[in-house]
Amino acid sequence: MGDLLRSGPAPRARLRELLAAPDPVVAPGAYDALSARLVEQAGFDVVYMTGFGTTASLLGRPDVGLLGGAEMVDNARRIVAAVDVPVIADADTGYGNAINVVRTVQSYEQAGVAGVHLEDQVMPKKCGHMSGKAVIGTDEMAGKIRAAVAARRDPDFLVIARTDAAAVEGLDAALERARAYADAGADLLFVEAPTSEDDIARVARELAGVAPLVFNWAEGGRTPPLPLDRIAELGFSLVLFPIGTLLAATTGIRALLAALRADGTPAGALPGVPSFDEFTDLIGLPEIRSLEERFGA
């Protein structure tokens, strides 16, 4: 996992194979290289680079469009380098117009990402589960999707079209936009933040056969937390769990710091956390030692 000297199937082709299977692909969120390695080591076949988590980890700020494309691509590149499984990345609005989208897609592709999702929000964007969002016109977004499809050099690179229109214009408009984005060439469709199980089922029903569908199981967000078997029954192909790793890390860090503040040392919070040797093993020290022996370092 995450070998420095890699072998095995190409991640993009592997992702296409996974999405063609009958069961939905589960992609937990990672906000940095370490969390991505943990996702892979837990046995998951795909890593999702969360924009929310990337913003929180790099800036300590909310996901309100503060990061630029170069910063997001840099994080994606580090995550891709840390794992062997495919990485799907948040590419926000594409960071500009259709011409900017061309550069964005090419940059993510050069970083080794297996696919990106682009959303139809106005810049600066907001997290899809926040209030106060605004969307661009359908035709403008369809042009961005066409630009993304034309920009990719590897046909296995996935272009996922996300619409945030449900919260702004209603579900009817979001479904209409999704169909337009499929016509523009999107590989998957992502209707963000439906707020009831009936709405989720309607998305699945009305977009069945149009393109494979993404379900965003946003931890604590506005979408009901359906069981995975129900999501599979509805026919979704890709399920994102974007920020659970970030929230869990926050909980653990808080607990350790509270113990340190109260007791003067973190000893009370250390039971249950990895030992020093366990941690260096999980981040690949045995592989480094093997390479030292192999190459005579």
Side-chain angles (χ1 to χ4, degrees):
M1 293 178 287
D3 291 339
L4 288 174
L5 299 180
R6 292 186 171 187
S7 61
R12 292 173 190 147
R14 177 60 180 150
L15 180 56
R16 292 270 185 178
E17 292 174 2
L18 290 167
L19 290 169
D23 294 328
V25 175
V26 172
Y31 51 89
D32 63 5
L34 174 59
S35 56
R37 285 182 66 89
L38 294 173
V39 169
E40 183 183 41
Q41 290 172 9
F44 292 97
D45 294 318
V46 178
V47 169
Y48 170 63
M49 189 193 88
T50 157
F52 183 105
T54 297
T55 305
S57 63
L58 292 183
L59 300 182
R61 296 295 182 184
D63 183 15
V64 292
L66 297 175
L67 284 182
E71 293 165 303
M72 291 285 284
V73 170
D74 280 347
N75 198 41
R77 184 178 293 108
R78 288 189 290 269
I79 287 173
V80 168
V83 298
D84 293 330
V85 297
V87 176
I88 299 171
D90 186 348
D92 296 313
T93 65
Y95 312 104
N97 61 19
I99 309 306
N100 297 108
V101 166
V102 169
R103 180 168 185 255
T104 294
V105 166
Q106 291 176 348
S107 297
Y108 273 102
E109 189 173 3
Q110 290 163 4
V113 168
V116 296
H117 68 74
L118 297 161
E119 64 202 45
D120 57 5
Q121 285 196 54
V122 170
M123 291 180 65
K125 54 75 56 86
K126 289 184 171 67
C127 166
H129 291 259
M130 292 178 182
S131 60
K133 297 187 293 182
V135 292
I136 63 176
T138 303
D139 290 344
E140 182 180 356
M141 182 61 182
K144 287 187 173 187
I145 298 300
R146 289 194 299 272
V149 171
R152 65 185 173 192
R153 295 187 172 97
D154 183 347
D156 282 331
F157 183 92
L158 288 175
V159 174
I160 303 169
R162 168 177 143 179
T163 178
D164 286 67
V168 181
E169 301 175 341
L171 191 60
D172 288 342
L175 292 169
E176 182 178 349
R177 282 172 174 263
R179 294 185 191 98
Y181 304 160
D183 289 342
D187 297 297
L188 284 85
L189 299 176
F190 179 173
V191 177
E192 175 67 305
T195 56
S196 71
E197 185 170 350
D198 287 344
D199 284 351
I200 297 167
R202 186 179 168 204
V203 168
R205 182 176 63 253
E206 296 200 19
L207 296 179
V210 177
L213 301 177
V214 178
F215 184 89
N216 191 19
W217 207 104
E219 297 89 338
R222 297 186 174 188
T223 300
L226 299 187
L228 185 59
D229 57 359
R230 175 59 174 154
I231 298 169
E233 178 187 347
L234 289 169
F236 287 88
S237 296
L238 173 64
V239 185
L240 308 178
F241 291 86
I243 61 171
T245 56
L246 175 71
L247 300 178
T250 301
T251 298
I253 293 168
R254 276 179 166 175
L256 184 139
L257 293 175
L260 175 58
R261 181 70 174 171
D263 304 334
T265 79
L270 293 181
V273 306
S275 69
F276 179 84
D277 288 341
E278 288 171 336
F279 187 78
T280 55
D281 282 353
L282 74 86
I283 59 174
L285 183 58
E287 181 194 2
I288 299 298
R289 287 174 172 159
S290 176
L291 292 175
E292 287 174 345
E293 292 177 3
R294 177 178 174 183
F295 299 121

